[in-house]
Amino acid sequence: MGGLVGGLVGSRLAQGDPLRFDRRLPIPPLIDAAKQGNAVKLKVSSGRHAFIKGRPTPAYGYSGPILGPAIRMRRGDEVQMTVENALGFDTTVHWHGLLVPGDVDGGPHQVIKPGGSWRPRLKIEQPASTAWFHPHLHHDTARQIYMGLTGLIIVDDGSDARLGLPRTYGVDDVPIIIQDRSFDSDGSLLYDRDPDPQTIQYGLRGSTIIVNGVVGPVAKVPAGLVRLRILNAANAQNFDLRFSDRREFRVIASDAGFLSTPVSMRQLRISPAERFEVLVDFADRNPVMLETGPDTLMGIFGAVSPDGSADFVSIMRFETTATDGTIGEFPVHLVEPLAVDPEKAVRRRQFVLDSGICGGKRPTEMGMLPGLCINGKTHDLDRIDVETGIGTLELWEIVSLGMAHPFHVHGASFRVSSIAGAPPPAHLAGWKDVVLVEDKAELLVAFNHGATRAHPFMYHCHILEHEDAGMMGQYVCA
Ligand code: C2O
Ligand code: CU
Ligand code: CU
């Protein structure tokens, strides 16, 4: 088994070469849409970026060599996006977590050709939240994200000031985009375009963690309360986060908005595509590491850390600046999430996510690869799996087979009504759009946006290799 795991997680970045934390954490540039007339341009291109200090290698980014800007959008505004594709191949841009209609959602039906552009108008009608954007091309999502295509969206509804939350971007409101990667000896990313069956089955795991695109970062933060907007943008890895001194932190928001009250935790699991906003108190001025534990949800592989061990590994360091934080006290109350009445669910559906090979084969340039399924069917761009209605609430039962699957729905958010047969823990009790399902979960999904057969919404496993291999379905909503 050890050999298999070694192959699965790739080789260590620096055998015998201890990881140094000596690089300032990069902060993605902020684009405040309202300050530029709600017109935002993104250029998707390839360039060079040094994931490892001093070793620039090919990478993809939005309007930059890696990742993308954080775009702040205000509730009530309409943002005119222009996306130019300067890559040499097709891409799409999906606004993960934005509640917008199917025809501007950026799923696999909305291909932007090389040299082409796409101009969706995004009407922002949802509460404050941390969303993100990434490619969603049929059979080529995992590689494009792996190469660097990930950006943040900050939906602002004005509640930050009222709630007294840290809100100075890059200072006490810090984006933390966590990914795992494997590097070649020249510092370039290792990604096989035609992954072997084992990588498809478990998803691609990297041996090294990067935060905001770099290995070994140090964040300098004021000595006080700091808000971290944490996004797991890994292809497959679940991160189990804690501080090296086990300090307490408080979760204030999940994917789709604030929790009703901050939830005190010392360890937080975050699955691919999930977001949590947390408040951490750095007033003691002690430097501290953020660590991640072994992924315990690897099916037959048991618990595996990115470095191949079963230990916690350090992913970044926090140090305080000479400045005191402007916010000293944890808020007591946040925002009561919009209530949902389970009695109002108009129907119940079951979705079985299976990472065993379910029969279907999908053709690739290199030959045939196995397909993965939901309810026994591999994704088909021409098949509508579910039809539902705008303004309805449905109960979706998600069943995971083979391993834990992070389940995501486009165009809607949901409340977890039960997970593994029990009510959700407090930090999973708010509005979400991704949930890690180990065996079973019941979701109350609220459909409020339309999607047609030409531009249906997707629902899928957010392990990107699973998604690319067909663990995805499509729904229309009218
Ligand atoms: Cu992050 Cu189908 O999306
Ligand atoms: Cu999405
Ligand atoms: Cu999956």
Side-chain angles (χ1 to χ4, degrees):
M1 197 69 75
L4 275 176
V5 171
L8 193 69
V9 299
S11 56
R12 280 175 189 245
L13 163 70
Q15 299 274 6
D17 189 9
L19 195 52
R20 285 172 203 284
F21 290 85
D22 58 357
R23 245 179 123 173
R24 191 74 185 250
L25 177 76
I27 301 293
L30 179 70
I31 293 182
D32 197 334
K35 290 196 180 142
Q36 46 183 66
N38 280 317
V40 177
K41 197 183 251 185
L42 292 174
K43 184 174 172 187
V44 202
S45 64
S46 61
R48 290 176 78 76
H49 168 71
F51 295 93
I52 301 169
K53 209 174 174 180
R55 289 188 238 173
T57 63
Y60 305 160
Y62 295 104
S63 307
I66 189 70
L67 300 173
I71 309 173
R72 180 179 282 153
M73 302 182 179
R74 304 208 177 156
R75 186 181 197 170
D77 282 0
E78 223 172 299
V79 182
Q80 176 65 63
M81 298 297 306
T82 301
V83 184
E84 287 171 9
N85 181 4
L87 296 163
F89 45 84
D90 293 357
T91 193
T92 84
V93 181
H94 166 53
W95 321 107
H96 180 136
L98 282 193
L99 298 172
V100 293
D103 61 353
V104 291
D105 183 55
H109 296 263
Q110 279 153 327
V111 176
I112 316 169
K113 292 278 169 203
S117 61
W118 180 51
R119 303 195 72 234
R121 261 184 104 73
L122 306 175
K123 195 159 187 234
I124 309 304
E125 301 174 302
Q126 65 198 83
S129 49
T130 303
W132 62 302
F133 54 99
H134 63 74
H136 218 299
L137 194 74
H138 192 52
H139 293 169
D140 193 28
T141 294
R143 185 190 65 91
Q144 292 191 18
I145 294 179
Y146 196 81
M147 290 299 292
L149 293 175
T150 288
L152 278 186
I153 296 172
I154 296 173
V155 177
D156 180 356
D157 66 2
S159 53
D160 282 4
R162 181 167 47 80
L163 296 172
L165 293 173
R167 57 189 176 279
T168 308
Y169 179 82
V171 178
D172 62 6
D173 180 356
V174 183
I176 302 284
I177 302 171
I178 310 178
Q179 301 172 299
D180 57 336
R181 295 290 183 266
S182 290
F183 297 100
D184 218 336
S185 51
D186 64 354
S188 62
L189 292 172
L190 283 172
Y191 192 87
D192 189 347
R193 245 178 182 285
D194 265 328
D196 56 70
Q198 184 176 273
T199 303
I200 295 174
Q201 208 177 350
Y202 290 97
L204 187 76
R205 314 284 169 144
S207 55
T208 304
I209 311 285
I210 56 175
V211 182
N212 297 352
V214 305
V215 174
V218 182
K220 307 262 191 189
V221 292
L225 282 193
V226 173
R227 173 192 201 160
L228 306 178
R229 295 180 188 258
I230 307 173
L231 162 67
N232 178 344
N235 283 34
Q237 182 82 9
N238 299 301
F239 298 113
D240 214 348
L241 304 174
R242 72 177 191 196
F243 289 96
S244 50
D245 60 5
R246 316 286 191 276
R247 73 179 57 197
E248 179 225 7
F249 52 85
R250 299 201 190 172
V251 182
I252 56 168
S254 59
D255 313 328
F258 286 115
L259 301 172
S260 59
T261 49
V263 178
S264 167
M265 298 183 82
R266 292 179 197 273
Q267 195 165 322
L268 172 68
R269 176 185 281 157
I270 181 167
S271 71
E274 270 189 309
R275 290 86 69 207
F276 287 107
E277 294 179 30
V278 306
L279 293 181
V280 192
D281 190 355
F282 292 102
D284 60 13
R285 294 187 186 273
N286 292 332
V288 65
M289 305 298 294
L290 182 66
E291 307 176 330
T292 186
D295 192 338
T296 56
L297 300 172
M298 294 271 293
I300 58 159
F301 289 102
V304 188
S305 269
D307 68 356
S309 75
D311 302 328
F312 275 75
V313 295
S314 297
I315 65 180
M316 68 177 291
R317 183 179 167 89
F318 287 90
E319 290 171 7
T320 52
T321 58
T323 325
D324 285 334
T326 49
I327 308 226
E329 305 263 320
F330 285 109
V332 176
H333 185 78
L334 297 161
V335 179
E336 203 55 52
L338 206 63
V340 61
D341 177 3
E343 300 290 308
K344 298 242 163 76
V346 296
R347 96 184 35 83
R348 182 184 185 98
R349 304 181 198 262
Q350 190 192 52
F351 299 88
V352 180
L353 279 59
D354 189 354
S355 52
I357 289 156
C358 62
K361 291 240 178 202
R362 65 189 178 97
T364 71
E365 298 97 76
M366 315 295 257
M368 298 292 274
L369 284 175
L372 302 185
C373 291
I374 296 181
N375 290 345
K377 290 177 183 161
T378 195
H379 181 224
D380 182 344
L381 282 175
D382 297 321
R383 184 189 69 231
I384 299 300
D385 300 278
V386 166
E387 295 185 30
T388 184
I390 296 180
T392 64
L393 183 71
E394 296 195 2
L395 196 124
W396 284 22
E397 185 191 11
I398 315 303
V399 179
S400 282
L401 297 181
M403 62 186 287
H405 301 284
F407 182 77
H408 168 53
V409 190
H410 287 213
S413 37
F414 55 75
R415 300 287 284 279
V416 178
S417 92
S418 77
I419 188 148
H427 71 293
L428 299 180
W431 287 97
K432 290 181 63 58
D433 56 52
V434 184
V435 64
L436 183 66
V437 182
E438 289 186 54
D439 59 350
K440 235 183 237 195
E442 290 176 309
L443 314 177
L444 285 161
V445 192
F447 298 99
N448 291 308
H449 292 271
T452 61
R453 292 186 159 261
H455 299 292
F457 284 131
M458 307 291 126
Y459 56 86
H460 57 92
C461 173
H462 221 290
I463 291 180
L464 302 177
E465 286 72 24
H466 288 185
E467 170 181 346
D468 274 350
M471 197 181 283
M472 177 147 62
Q474 312 192 119
Y475 76 94
V476 295
C477 187

